[in-house]
Short mmCIF file of all heavy atoms in Angstrom, two decimals:
data_model
loop_
_atom_site.label_atom_id
_atom_site.label_comp_id
_atom_site.label_asym_id
_atom_site.label_seq_id
_atom_site.Cartn_x
_atom_site.Cartn_y
_atom_site.Cartn_z
N ALA A 1429 73.19 12.17 -39.89
CA ALA A 1429 71.95 12.57 -39.31
C ALA A 1429 71.86 14.05 -39.17
O ALA A 1429 70.86 14.70 -39.47
CB ALA A 1429 71.67 11.90 -37.95
N LEU A 1430 72.97 14.68 -38.74
CA LEU A 1430 73.00 16.12 -38.65
C LEU A 1430 72.86 16.84 -39.98
O LEU A 1430 72.24 17.86 -40.09
CB LEU A 1430 74.26 16.62 -37.92
CG LEU A 1430 74.33 16.07 -36.49
CD1 LEU A 1430 75.78 16.58 -35.90
CD2 LEU A 1430 73.31 16.82 -35.62
N ALA A 1431 73.48 16.17 -41.04
CA ALA A 1431 73.41 16.80 -42.30
C ALA A 1431 71.92 16.66 -42.96
O ALA A 1431 71.56 17.49 -43.68
CB ALA A 1431 74.38 15.96 -43.29
N LEU A 1432 71.20 15.60 -42.65
CA LEU A 1432 69.90 15.45 -43.13
C LEU A 1432 68.95 16.52 -42.46
O LEU A 1432 67.87 16.65 -42.93
CB LEU A 1432 69.44 14.06 -42.87
CG LEU A 1432 69.97 12.98 -43.78
CD1 LEU A 1432 69.45 11.59 -43.33
CD2 LEU A 1432 69.57 13.26 -45.24
N ALA A 1433 69.35 17.09 -41.35
CA ALA A 1433 68.52 18.18 -40.75
C ALA A 1433 68.25 19.32 -41.75
O ALA A 1433 67.42 20.15 -41.53
CB ALA A 1433 69.19 18.71 -39.47
N ARG A 1434 69.08 19.29 -42.75
CA ARG A 1434 68.92 20.41 -43.85
C ARG A 1434 67.64 20.19 -44.68
O ARG A 1434 67.27 20.99 -45.52
CB ARG A 1434 70.19 20.39 -44.69
CG ARG A 1434 70.20 21.40 -45.90
CD ARG A 1434 70.26 22.84 -45.35
NE ARG A 1434 70.29 23.77 -46.44
CZ ARG A 1434 69.24 24.24 -47.04
NH1 ARG A 1434 68.03 23.79 -46.72
NH2 ARG A 1434 69.33 25.08 -48.08
N TRP A 1435 66.95 18.96 -44.46
CA TRP A 1435 65.90 18.57 -45.33
C TRP A 1435 64.66 18.15 -44.54
O TRP A 1435 64.78 17.61 -43.50
CB TRP A 1435 66.32 17.45 -46.29
CG TRP A 1435 67.54 17.69 -47.02
CD1 TRP A 1435 68.81 17.50 -46.72
CD2 TRP A 1435 67.53 18.17 -48.40
NE1 TRP A 1435 69.63 17.88 -47.76
CE2 TRP A 1435 68.86 18.29 -48.85
CE3 TRP A 1435 66.51 18.39 -49.33
CZ2 TRP A 1435 69.23 18.73 -50.07
CZ3 TRP A 1435 66.79 18.84 -50.56
CH2 TRP A 1435 68.21 19.01 -50.94
N THR A 1436 63.50 18.49 -45.14
CA THR A 1436 62.30 17.87 -44.64
C THR A 1436 62.04 16.71 -45.51
O THR A 1436 61.82 16.69 -46.70
CB THR A 1436 61.09 18.84 -44.76
OG1 THR A 1436 61.29 19.93 -43.83
CG2 THR A 1436 59.79 18.17 -44.46
N LEU A 1437 61.94 15.49 -44.83
CA LEU A 1437 61.87 14.23 -45.50
C LEU A 1437 60.56 13.47 -45.22
O LEU A 1437 60.17 13.45 -44.03
CB LEU A 1437 63.04 13.32 -45.10
CG LEU A 1437 64.42 13.76 -45.43
CD1 LEU A 1437 65.51 12.90 -44.83
CD2 LEU A 1437 64.61 13.84 -46.96
N ILE A 1438 59.90 13.00 -46.24
CA ILE A 1438 58.64 12.28 -46.11
C ILE A 1438 58.82 10.92 -46.91
O ILE A 1438 59.21 10.99 -48.02
CB ILE A 1438 57.47 13.04 -46.65
CG1 ILE A 1438 57.32 14.39 -45.86
CG2 ILE A 1438 56.22 12.26 -46.58
CD1 ILE A 1438 56.19 15.29 -46.42
N VAL A 1439 58.42 9.80 -46.27
CA VAL A 1439 58.35 8.60 -46.91
C VAL A 1439 56.95 8.16 -47.09
O VAL A 1439 56.10 8.13 -46.09
CB VAL A 1439 59.15 7.51 -46.11
CG1 VAL A 1439 59.05 6.16 -46.86
CG2 VAL A 1439 60.58 7.95 -45.95
N THR A 1440 56.54 7.79 -48.32
CA THR A 1440 55.10 7.40 -48.52
C THR A 1440 55.07 6.28 -49.58
O THR A 1440 55.94 6.16 -50.36
CB THR A 1440 54.34 8.51 -49.06
OG1 THR A 1440 52.97 8.10 -49.35
CG2 THR A 1440 54.79 9.15 -50.25
N ASN A 1441 54.16 5.35 -49.46
CA ASN A 1441 53.89 4.42 -50.51
C ASN A 1441 52.77 4.77 -51.41
O ASN A 1441 52.39 3.89 -52.27
CB ASN A 1441 53.65 3.00 -49.90
CG ASN A 1441 52.41 2.91 -49.08
OD1 ASN A 1441 51.78 3.95 -48.80
ND2 ASN A 1441 52.08 1.70 -48.64
N ALA A 1442 52.22 5.98 -51.25
CA ALA A 1442 51.17 6.44 -52.20
C ALA A 1442 51.79 6.72 -53.54
O ALA A 1442 52.74 7.49 -53.66
CB ALA A 1442 50.50 7.66 -51.57
N PRO A 1443 51.20 6.15 -54.57
CA PRO A 1443 51.79 6.52 -55.95
C PRO A 1443 51.58 7.99 -56.35
O PRO A 1443 50.69 8.67 -55.92
CB PRO A 1443 50.95 5.57 -56.94
CG PRO A 1443 49.65 5.32 -56.16
CD PRO A 1443 50.05 5.35 -54.70
N VAL A 1444 52.42 8.37 -57.22
CA VAL A 1444 52.48 9.82 -57.56
C VAL A 1444 51.15 10.28 -58.22
O VAL A 1444 50.72 11.41 -58.05
CB VAL A 1444 53.67 10.13 -58.47
CG1 VAL A 1444 53.49 9.51 -59.87
CG2 VAL A 1444 53.78 11.62 -58.60
N GLU A 1445 50.50 9.36 -58.90
CA GLU A 1445 49.23 9.77 -59.59
C GLU A 1445 48.04 9.97 -58.56
O GLU A 1445 47.06 10.59 -58.89
CB GLU A 1445 48.84 8.69 -60.68
CG GLU A 1445 48.55 7.24 -60.04
CD GLU A 1445 49.85 6.47 -60.15
OE1 GLU A 1445 51.01 7.03 -60.35
OE2 GLU A 1445 49.82 5.20 -60.03
N ARG A 1446 48.26 9.49 -57.33
CA ARG A 1446 47.26 9.67 -56.27
C ARG A 1446 47.69 10.79 -55.38
O ARG A 1446 46.86 11.35 -54.74
CB ARG A 1446 46.97 8.39 -55.54
CG ARG A 1446 46.42 7.30 -56.43
CD ARG A 1446 45.98 6.12 -55.53
NE ARG A 1446 44.98 6.46 -54.57
CZ ARG A 1446 44.50 5.68 -53.62
NH1 ARG A 1446 44.97 4.42 -53.56
NH2 ARG A 1446 43.51 6.10 -52.81
N LEU A 1447 48.95 11.01 -55.15
CA LEU A 1447 49.42 11.97 -54.25
C LEU A 1447 50.70 12.60 -54.84
O LEU A 1447 51.77 12.04 -54.79
CB LEU A 1447 49.70 11.38 -52.94
CG LEU A 1447 50.10 12.34 -51.71
CD1 LEU A 1447 48.94 13.17 -51.31
CD2 LEU A 1447 50.62 11.48 -50.56
N SER A 1448 50.59 13.90 -55.24
CA SER A 1448 51.92 14.61 -55.62
C SER A 1448 52.72 14.92 -54.52
O SER A 1448 52.34 14.87 -53.27
CB SER A 1448 51.39 15.84 -56.41
OG SER A 1448 50.96 16.85 -55.56
N ALA A 1449 54.04 15.24 -54.79
CA ALA A 1449 54.92 15.63 -53.77
C ALA A 1449 54.40 16.85 -53.02
O ALA A 1449 54.57 16.99 -51.79
CB ALA A 1449 56.31 15.89 -54.41
N GLU A 1450 53.87 17.82 -53.74
CA GLU A 1450 53.40 19.09 -53.07
C GLU A 1450 52.23 18.79 -52.12
O GLU A 1450 52.11 19.28 -51.03
CB GLU A 1450 52.99 20.10 -54.12
CG GLU A 1450 54.17 20.66 -54.97
CD GLU A 1450 54.51 19.80 -56.08
OE1 GLU A 1450 53.92 18.68 -56.29
OE2 GLU A 1450 55.46 20.15 -56.86
N GLU A 1451 51.32 17.91 -52.65
CA GLU A 1451 50.20 17.48 -51.76
C GLU A 1451 50.67 16.73 -50.60
O GLU A 1451 50.09 16.93 -49.39
CB GLU A 1451 49.27 16.65 -52.63
CG GLU A 1451 48.44 17.42 -53.70
CD GLU A 1451 47.68 16.48 -54.57
OE1 GLU A 1451 48.03 15.32 -54.74
OE2 GLU A 1451 46.77 16.96 -55.20
N ALA A 1452 51.65 15.87 -50.71
CA ALA A 1452 52.15 15.11 -49.53
C ALA A 1452 52.70 16.13 -48.48
O ALA A 1452 52.53 15.93 -47.29
CB ALA A 1452 53.18 14.18 -50.02
N LEU A 1453 53.46 17.15 -48.92
CA LEU A 1453 54.09 18.09 -48.02
C LEU A 1453 52.99 18.87 -47.24
O LEU A 1453 53.07 19.18 -46.12
CB LEU A 1453 55.00 19.08 -48.77
CG LEU A 1453 56.30 18.38 -49.30
CD1 LEU A 1453 57.03 19.31 -50.36
CD2 LEU A 1453 57.26 18.20 -48.17
N LEU A 1454 51.89 19.19 -48.07
CA LEU A 1454 50.77 19.93 -47.36
C LEU A 1454 50.10 19.15 -46.36
O LEU A 1454 49.77 19.58 -45.32
CB LEU A 1454 49.87 20.45 -48.56
CG LEU A 1454 48.83 21.50 -48.06
CD1 LEU A 1454 49.47 22.68 -47.36
CD2 LEU A 1454 47.97 21.98 -49.19
N LEU A 1455 49.75 17.86 -46.72
CA LEU A 1455 49.16 16.94 -45.81
C LEU A 1455 49.97 16.69 -44.60
O LEU A 1455 49.50 16.43 -43.53
CB LEU A 1455 48.76 15.70 -46.50
CG LEU A 1455 47.65 15.78 -47.58
CD1 LEU A 1455 47.52 14.39 -48.22
CD2 LEU A 1455 46.33 16.21 -46.90
N PHE A 1456 51.31 16.59 -44.84
CA PHE A 1456 52.19 16.44 -43.63
C PHE A 1456 52.04 17.50 -42.63
O PHE A 1456 52.06 17.32 -41.41
CB PHE A 1456 53.67 16.34 -44.18
CG PHE A 1456 54.68 16.15 -43.14
CD1 PHE A 1456 54.79 14.99 -42.39
CD2 PHE A 1456 55.54 17.25 -42.77
CE1 PHE A 1456 55.74 14.82 -41.47
CE2 PHE A 1456 56.41 17.05 -41.76
CZ PHE A 1456 56.59 15.93 -41.13
N ARG A 1457 51.97 18.75 -43.18
CA ARG A 1457 51.68 19.85 -42.26
C ARG A 1457 50.37 19.77 -41.59
O ARG A 1457 50.14 20.14 -40.35
CB ARG A 1457 51.89 21.18 -42.99
CG ARG A 1457 51.49 22.39 -42.22
CD ARG A 1457 51.73 23.67 -42.83
NE ARG A 1457 51.38 24.82 -42.02
CZ ARG A 1457 51.62 26.10 -42.25
NH1 ARG A 1457 52.38 26.42 -43.30
NH2 ARG A 1457 51.13 27.04 -41.50
N ALA A 1458 49.33 19.33 -42.38
CA ALA A 1458 47.97 19.37 -41.82
C ALA A 1458 47.83 18.27 -40.71
O ALA A 1458 46.94 18.44 -39.77
CB ALA A 1458 46.99 18.90 -42.97
N ARG A 1459 48.76 17.29 -40.64
CA ARG A 1459 48.66 16.32 -39.52
C ARG A 1459 48.88 17.04 -38.22
O ARG A 1459 48.38 16.46 -37.12
CB ARG A 1459 49.76 15.32 -39.75
CG ARG A 1459 49.51 14.32 -40.87
CD ARG A 1459 50.70 13.39 -41.02
NE ARG A 1459 50.80 12.48 -39.91
CZ ARG A 1459 51.81 12.54 -38.94
NH1 ARG A 1459 52.73 13.43 -39.09
NH2 ARG A 1459 51.84 11.59 -38.01
N TRP A 1460 49.54 18.17 -38.10
CA TRP A 1460 49.70 18.96 -36.87
C TRP A 1460 48.32 19.26 -36.26
O TRP A 1460 48.22 19.44 -35.01
CB TRP A 1460 50.56 20.15 -37.16
CG TRP A 1460 50.71 20.99 -35.96
CD1 TRP A 1460 50.32 22.31 -35.77
CD2 TRP A 1460 51.39 20.69 -34.67
NE1 TRP A 1460 50.61 22.78 -34.51
CE2 TRP A 1460 51.26 21.76 -33.81
CE3 TRP A 1460 52.01 19.52 -34.27
CZ2 TRP A 1460 51.80 21.76 -32.55
CZ3 TRP A 1460 52.54 19.47 -32.94
CH2 TRP A 1460 52.40 20.64 -32.13
N GLN A 1461 47.31 19.47 -37.11
CA GLN A 1461 45.94 19.76 -36.52
C GLN A 1461 45.50 18.74 -35.56
O GLN A 1461 44.73 19.03 -34.51
CB GLN A 1461 45.01 20.03 -37.66
CG GLN A 1461 45.52 21.13 -38.58
CD GLN A 1461 45.78 22.43 -38.00
OE1 GLN A 1461 45.02 22.97 -37.17
NE2 GLN A 1461 46.88 22.97 -38.43
N VAL A 1462 45.80 17.45 -35.81
CA VAL A 1462 45.44 16.38 -34.88
C VAL A 1462 46.15 16.51 -33.60
O VAL A 1462 45.53 16.42 -32.53
CB VAL A 1462 45.81 14.99 -35.56
CG1 VAL A 1462 45.40 13.94 -34.59
CG2 VAL A 1462 45.02 14.88 -36.88
N GLU A 1463 47.45 16.94 -33.61
CA GLU A 1463 48.17 17.11 -32.42
C GLU A 1463 47.66 18.33 -31.61
O GLU A 1463 47.57 18.35 -30.43
CB GLU A 1463 49.61 17.39 -32.81
CG GLU A 1463 50.32 16.27 -33.47
CD GLU A 1463 50.43 15.00 -32.65
OE1 GLU A 1463 50.53 15.14 -31.41
OE2 GLU A 1463 50.43 13.94 -33.27
N LEU A 1464 47.09 19.34 -32.32
CA LEU A 1464 46.50 20.48 -31.73
C LEU A 1464 45.27 20.05 -30.89
O LEU A 1464 44.89 20.61 -29.82
CB LEU A 1464 46.19 21.59 -32.69
CG LEU A 1464 47.36 22.37 -33.32
CD1 LEU A 1464 46.87 23.39 -34.32
CD2 LEU A 1464 48.30 22.98 -32.20
N LEU A 1465 44.55 19.11 -31.44
CA LEU A 1465 43.37 18.66 -30.66
C LEU A 1465 43.66 18.12 -29.36
O LEU A 1465 43.16 18.29 -28.31
CB LEU A 1465 42.56 17.71 -31.56
CG LEU A 1465 41.33 17.02 -30.90
CD1 LEU A 1465 40.31 18.06 -30.47
CD2 LEU A 1465 40.69 15.99 -31.73
N PHE A 1466 44.76 17.13 -29.33
CA PHE A 1466 45.17 16.54 -28.13
C PHE A 1466 45.81 17.61 -27.16
O PHE A 1466 45.66 17.53 -25.96
CB PHE A 1466 46.14 15.46 -28.35
CG PHE A 1466 45.51 14.26 -29.04
CD1 PHE A 1466 45.79 13.85 -30.38
CD2 PHE A 1466 44.63 13.45 -28.33
CE1 PHE A 1466 45.21 12.75 -30.89
CE2 PHE A 1466 44.05 12.38 -28.93
CZ PHE A 1466 44.30 11.95 -30.29
N LYS A 1467 46.47 18.49 -27.78
CA LYS A 1467 47.01 19.66 -26.94
C LYS A 1467 45.93 20.49 -26.21
O LYS A 1467 45.99 20.84 -25.08
CB LYS A 1467 47.86 20.55 -27.86
CG LYS A 1467 48.53 21.74 -27.06
CD LYS A 1467 49.29 22.61 -27.96
CE LYS A 1467 49.91 23.73 -27.21
NZ LYS A 1467 50.66 24.66 -28.14
N LEU A 1468 44.84 20.66 -27.03
CA LEU A 1468 43.69 21.33 -26.43
C LEU A 1468 43.14 20.52 -25.30
O LEU A 1468 42.75 21.08 -24.17
CB LEU A 1468 42.60 21.60 -27.52
CG LEU A 1468 41.27 22.13 -27.16
CD1 LEU A 1468 41.47 23.57 -26.62
CD2 LEU A 1468 40.25 22.08 -28.25
N TRP A 1469 42.89 19.17 -25.49
CA TRP A 1469 42.42 18.40 -24.34
C TRP A 1469 43.36 18.43 -23.11
O TRP A 1469 42.82 18.28 -22.07
CB TRP A 1469 42.23 17.00 -24.91
CG TRP A 1469 41.07 16.87 -25.83
CD1 TRP A 1469 40.27 17.88 -26.39
CD2 TRP A 1469 40.48 15.67 -26.35
NE1 TRP A 1469 39.31 17.37 -27.19
CE2 TRP A 1469 39.44 15.98 -27.25
CE3 TRP A 1469 40.80 14.25 -26.22
CZ2 TRP A 1469 38.68 15.16 -27.94
CZ3 TRP A 1469 40.01 13.39 -26.96
CH2 TRP A 1469 38.95 13.74 -27.75
N LYS A 1470 44.60 18.41 -23.36
CA LYS A 1470 45.49 18.47 -22.23
C LYS A 1470 45.62 19.73 -21.51
O LYS A 1470 45.48 19.75 -20.26
CB LYS A 1470 46.93 18.01 -22.68
CG LYS A 1470 47.05 16.50 -23.12
CD LYS A 1470 48.52 16.19 -23.63
CE LYS A 1470 48.64 14.76 -23.91
NZ LYS A 1470 50.02 14.46 -24.39
N SER A 1471 45.64 20.79 -22.26
CA SER A 1471 45.79 22.16 -21.63
C SER A 1471 44.53 22.71 -21.09
O SER A 1471 44.49 23.35 -20.11
CB SER A 1471 46.46 23.18 -22.68
OG SER A 1471 45.53 23.32 -23.81
N HIS A 1472 43.40 22.38 -21.75
CA HIS A 1472 42.10 22.81 -21.24
C HIS A 1472 41.43 21.87 -20.33
O HIS A 1472 40.82 22.29 -19.33
CB HIS A 1472 41.20 23.17 -22.39
CG HIS A 1472 41.53 24.44 -23.11
ND1 HIS A 1472 40.56 25.39 -23.59
CD2 HIS A 1472 42.65 25.01 -23.53
CE1 HIS A 1472 41.14 26.40 -24.11
NE2 HIS A 1472 42.48 26.13 -24.07
N GLY A 1473 41.51 20.61 -20.67
CA GLY A 1473 40.73 19.56 -19.89
C GLY A 1473 41.66 18.85 -18.84
O GLY A 1473 41.07 18.15 -18.03
N HIS A 1474 42.89 19.00 -18.94
CA HIS A 1474 43.91 18.36 -17.92
C HIS A 1474 43.65 16.90 -17.90
O HIS A 1474 43.63 16.35 -16.81
CB HIS A 1474 43.77 19.07 -16.63
CG HIS A 1474 43.97 20.56 -16.62
ND1 HIS A 1474 45.21 21.15 -16.88
CD2 HIS A 1474 43.13 21.55 -16.51
CE1 HIS A 1474 45.09 22.45 -16.77
NE2 HIS A 1474 43.81 22.79 -16.60
N VAL A 1475 43.37 16.23 -19.06
CA VAL A 1475 43.05 14.80 -19.01
C VAL A 1475 44.27 14.01 -18.71
O VAL A 1475 44.09 12.80 -18.41
CB VAL A 1475 42.51 14.42 -20.46
CG1 VAL A 1475 41.17 15.08 -20.78
CG2 VAL A 1475 43.52 14.68 -21.57
#
């Protein structure tokens, strides 16, 4: 497990013709924007 920390790993069942490896990595980063929305609600709205 410590050795795998050397890698960013993504598992997907989307075929390569629909989602390239580069696109998957970029979308993986974009998922953080959803987390930022909830962070905004917690830090600003104290929900």
Side-chain angles (χ1 to χ4, degrees):
L1430 294 175
L1432 285 177
R1434 179 70 178 82
W1435 302 84
T1436 292
L1437 298 173
I1438 299 175
V1439 177
T1440 178
N1441 63 350
V1444 66
E1445 58 269 17
R1446 296 190 61 185
L1447 185 70
S1448 69
E1450 291 83 358
E1451 290 170 336
L1453 289 163
L1454 189 55
L1455 288 176
F1456 178 72
R1457 174 173 176 170
R1459 289 177 68 249
W1460 176 243
Q1461 303 305 313
V1462 179
E1463 299 296 331
L1464 289 179
L1465 175 62
F1466 289 111
K1467 181 180 179 181
L1468 175 65
W1469 287 8
K1470 289 181 178 179
S1471 61
H1472 283 224
H1474 305 287
V1475 296

